[in-house]
Structures are given as structure tokens and as C-alpha cells.
Amino acid sequence: MRVTIEPGSLRGTVAAPPSKSMAHRMLICAALADGESLVRPIEASEDILATADGLRALGAGIRQEGDALRVTGCRPAEAEHAVIPCRESGSTLRFLLPLCLLGGKEMTLTGSGRLLSRPLDVYETLCAERGFRLERTGQGIRVQGRLKAGEYTVRGDLSSQFITGLAYALSLVPGESVIRILPPIESEPYLRMTLEAMAASGVQVSRPTPETLLVPGGTAYRSGEKTVEGDWSNAAFFEALAAAGDDILVTGLREDSLQGDRVCWEYFRRIREGAAETDVADCPDLAPVLMAFAAMRGGARLTGTRRLRFKESDRGAAMAEELAKFGIRVATEENEILIGGEKPHAPAEILQGHNDHRIVMALAVLCTRTGGVIDGAEAVRKSYPAFWDALRSIGANLTVSN
């Protein structure tokens, strides 16, 4: 799919879509509870559909009711040999893999795109230490083992998703467990979101120190109605336009949200005012839109960018390649990215989306200033299927073609 965007000023109000990160967590908590839960609102993105499919494979009942999903709980330890279809969702893979290690049966997690090549170091180490099976095959990732309560030490500098997945699984086995996190802890806000979602479902994970989680075992998750807050990660693309001067109001966001990407407005301000550096270690999903914004506002230096290589694309390299088409120089180092201060011009070449939703949306932000054509624009379905409609609703002159 190809989208052509003409330059122009934008004006209007955009309602933030529901948080993909919190929807993942609430759906899993609902699936681990006895009885029925209603989770709303839900954006039917590819990532959320992947988590719903994976939970169904583990035995949960999930059906759509308008903008909500009705979830009937399951017991993952009782699931027979199952195939867990993760599509391209890293969250789904890392959240559900430990649940596949509860019953001692062979389970297979499948995926597409770059998913199955993304790092699983924490789980590979855990399985090796405990004699579990975790192997990558042509069909997916095959695992087999039976988690027990105990003490687990995990690296904190790879992804908080590993800690989240382990906490879900350990909360279901008898006995208290301790998760010790080796600093530094990156994506800390996402870990706090996990603990908030679990607490809202009646599972209290205590945290006596930042590096220690005490997970109660055999606890019962509470079913009920769950409300998904607005998504700062996807709203950031419209907040970028507002920060760049367009008259845009984004509604439906909690100012007290635990979402790490809530810092987007502060980071746009810092770039606009020429701050020496902006650290994205705790909010890596903001990096593409920050790079696009920096291209509009005279450049920037981003630090904490090491993990961008392991997303749906190598995001630093992908944005550098595309920003070059606008005449913007970008230098990517091991853990920092420098965006030059050149004024962007209309790209003479077609822009490529790199099969990455956040790359596509970041390029769209810049194209509202210069114009441009983006190929692979369907990638937004991964997190924000309504993105193009939302952009058009505030006056963007864009056309979509196959």
C-alpha cells in the first residue's frame, strides 16, 4: 500500500487510540482469571489480535463485542500441545512464552517478519539453567519445561518484557518467587504498567527495592470490567505535529499515566530548544518520531538508542536511510544517533516503510511539511489501523493506493 501526502497545515482534534501496551497486559490478566472479563476499548491492531490468538491457543475464550473483547479465563498449565501464533508481536512472544512453561508439555510459538530473530537471551539463559527446552526451528520456537517457584535473576538492560512474562507465569505456580533484576533497568515505565495491571486484577507483586520483585504464587486473578487508557505512544505522532506548530488537540490521554512515552511533549520541547541530548532508553518507541521532529526543528542528539536495532526494523538505520531522502544527515553510533540540522526538502525518491509501523508514521509526520510518497504504508495496522483516517480528519491531504 502506498500513501501520497501533500504538504499543508493541519488543524483539529484527535482522540488517542487505546493503549496497545496496556491492552496486552489487561487481556492477559483477564485470561488468567476465573470467570468472564470485559476489556475496552480495544483497537483491533495486528499486535493485539496476536495476543488474543495466543491466549485462545492457551484455552481462553475471547470474542469481540463492539469496541470490547469479552474474555473467559483459562489455565495455561492445563493446555495441551499448542501452537501460539504471535504474528510480528514481540510483546506477545515474550509475554506468553513463560506461560508455555507451566505444564511441562511441548509448545511452539510461531511468528513472521523479524520476530523469530529478535533476542530471547533472558529466556534462553533461564531454560538452559533449569534444563528446559528452548530451540528455534523452521516452524518457530519450541519450548518445554515446568516452571517452579524460586529465585530468578534476569538482565534488566534487554527488555522489561521478559520480566513481565516471567512475573505472569510465576504468579500461577505454588509458592513465592523472587525476580532479581540486574541493573541497569531499561523500559522501567513498562514494568510499572505490568505491576499496575496485575494489581488491578488482584495480584500484588511487591517491590522492596528497584531490582527486586516478590511474586506471590498460586494467586487468583480477579475478573471484571477493565478500561484501557489512551495510548501515548501512538498519540505522540500527533503531539509532534502540535509541537511543530499545528493547531492540534489530542484527547483521551491520562496526564498521570505510567506509560513511558508520556514524556513525548517534554522531549519535543527539549529538541525545539536545542537540548544537548535526549535519552530514549526508557521510551525507545519514541525514537522514530523524535528523529522526524528533529529533522523539522534543526537537529538533535538521541542517546540510549542501542535497542533500536532489535525492533520491527533496525529503526536507527531505517530512519537514517529515509531522512537522507529529505536531505537530512544522520550518524548512528552504538548507543546514540545524531540528526543533522539541515532544512528538509521534498524527497525525490519514494520513502520505504521498512515493514515498521513507527517508521511509517514518523515519515508521515515529516511529509505533512514537505510532501512525499510512502511505500509499505499498511504497516500501521500493527498498532494503529485508523492512523490514516485520523491524519486525514485533521486536514492532511493524502491519497491511498495499492
Side-chain angles (χ1 to χ4, degrees):
M1 181 174 122
R2 187 171 286 183
V3 169
T4 302
I5 302 175
E6 301 295 334
S9 60
L10 307 177
R11 179 187 183 92
T13 300
V14 177
S19 167
K20 179 169 72 80
S21 297
M22 191 54 87
H24 280 302
R25 289 160 170 82
M26 287 184 168
L27 285 173
I28 293 171
C29 288
L32 300 182
D34 288 333
E36 284 193 346
S37 298
L38 196 67
V39 184
R40 68 149 56 100
I42 291 291
E43 176 93 355
S45 65
E46 291 292 329
D47 279 7
I48 294 304
L49 294 176
T51 289
D53 286 346
L55 293 171
R56 288 188 185 100
L58 289 172
I62 300 179
R63 67 178 187 273
Q64 187 167 352
E65 296 183 2
D67 68 345
L69 289 178
R70 186 169 294 278
V71 182
T72 304
C74 64
R75 288 181 168 81
E78 299 175 4
E80 296 301 323
H81 171 71
V83 175
I84 313 298
C86 300
R87 304 194 190 196
E88 291 187 64
S89 174
S91 298
T92 303
L93 174 64
R94 290 169 175 166
F95 290 168
L96 299 189
L97 191 152
L99 296 178
C100 294
L101 294 172
L102 292 175
K105 305 178 185 71
E106 181 182 286
M107 311 282 271
T108 302
L109 299 102
T110 63
S112 56
R114 282 167 46 105
L115 179 66
L116 297 181
S117 64
R118 291 173 70 173
L120 287 174
D121 304 52
V122 170
Y123 293 154
E124 288 169 339
T125 299
L126 182 154
C127 289
E129 290 174 346
R130 286 162 175 77
F132 299 164
R133 180 183 183 187
L134 190 160
E135 61 178 344
R136 298 176 189 262
T137 72
Q139 288 71 47
I141 297 169
R142 192 173 297 154
V143 299
Q144 187 171 14
R146 192 186 296 273
L147 273 177
K148 296 181 180 179
E151 186 168 313
Y152 294 80
T153 300
V154 301
R155 291 173 57 182
D157 63 340
L158 296 176
S159 172
S160 66
Q161 292 174 350
F162 296 112
I163 304 167
T164 289
L166 193 54
Y168 283 138
L170 291 175
S171 70
L172 299 176
V173 301
E176 184 178 75
S177 295
V178 180
I179 301 177
R180 300 198 186 280
I181 309 169
L182 300 176
I185 303 173
E186 295 194 1
S187 296
E188 164 69 27
Y190 290 99
L191 180 54
R192 293 200 296 267
M193 290 172 66
T194 296
L195 301 186
E196 181 184 70
M198 294 176 75
S201 294
V203 180
Q204 297 289 339
V205 176
S206 59
R207 196 174 186 183
T209 72
E211 295 81 22
T212 307
L213 301 182
L214 303 181
V215 184
T219 49
Y221 282 77
R222 187 171 58 236
S223 58
E225 292 200 11
K226 305 174 187 295
T227 301
V228 183
E229 64 178 282
D231 193 327
W232 279 95
S233 302
N234 281 329
F237 299 97
F238 296 98
E239 296 284 13
L241 293 168
D246 285 328
D247 186 9
I248 294 171
L249 174 66
V250 183
T251 62
L253 295 170
R254 277 177 48 188
E255 292 187 6
D256 64 344
S257 173
L258 293 178
Q259 294 177 56
D261 291 354
R262 183 170 61 89
V263 301
C264 65
W265 187 263
E266 169 63 17
Y267 279 14
F268 294 141
R269 182 192 65 79
R270 287 174 57 81
I271 291 173
R272 194 171 57 225
E273 295 178 0
E277 66 178 57
T278 300
D279 187 355
V280 299
D282 278 343
C283 51
D285 285 345
L286 286 182
V289 71
L290 291 173
M291 292 177 72
F293 185 77
M296 293 189 289
R297 302 296 298 192
R301 176 173 172 248
L302 305 184
T303 60
T305 60
R306 175 178 52 83
R307 289 190 296 129
L308 298 185
R309 297 193 300 276
F310 307 117
K311 298 292 185 176
E312 285 82 349
S313 68
D314 179 340
R315 285 181 174 163
M319 284 299 293
E321 179 181 334
E322 300 311 313
L323 289 180
K325 299 174 183 178
F326 293 88
I328 305 295
R329 291 176 300 146
V330 177
T332 59
E333 303 296 340
E334 171 64 21
N335 202 34
E336 69 175 37
I337 295 173
L338 184 65
I339 301 98
E342 300 83 9
K343 183 177 180 180
H345 58 66
E349 302 174 60
I350 292 175
L351 303 166
Q352 299 300 318
H354 298 262
N355 194 35
D356 191 323
H357 53 137
R358 302 204 189 277
I359 298 295
V360 170
M361 291 187 280
L363 294 176
V365 167
L366 190 49
C367 284
T368 65
R369 294 298 186 270
T370 64
V373 180
I374 306 171
D375 203 11
E378 69 279 0
V380 301
R381 296 170 188 160
K382 190 172 193 296
S383 67
Y384 194 177
F387 175 76
W388 299 116
D389 290 336
L391 192 60
R392 188 182 279 116
S393 75
I394 54 173
N397 183 2
L398 62 88
T399 56
V400 178
S401 59
N402 294 319

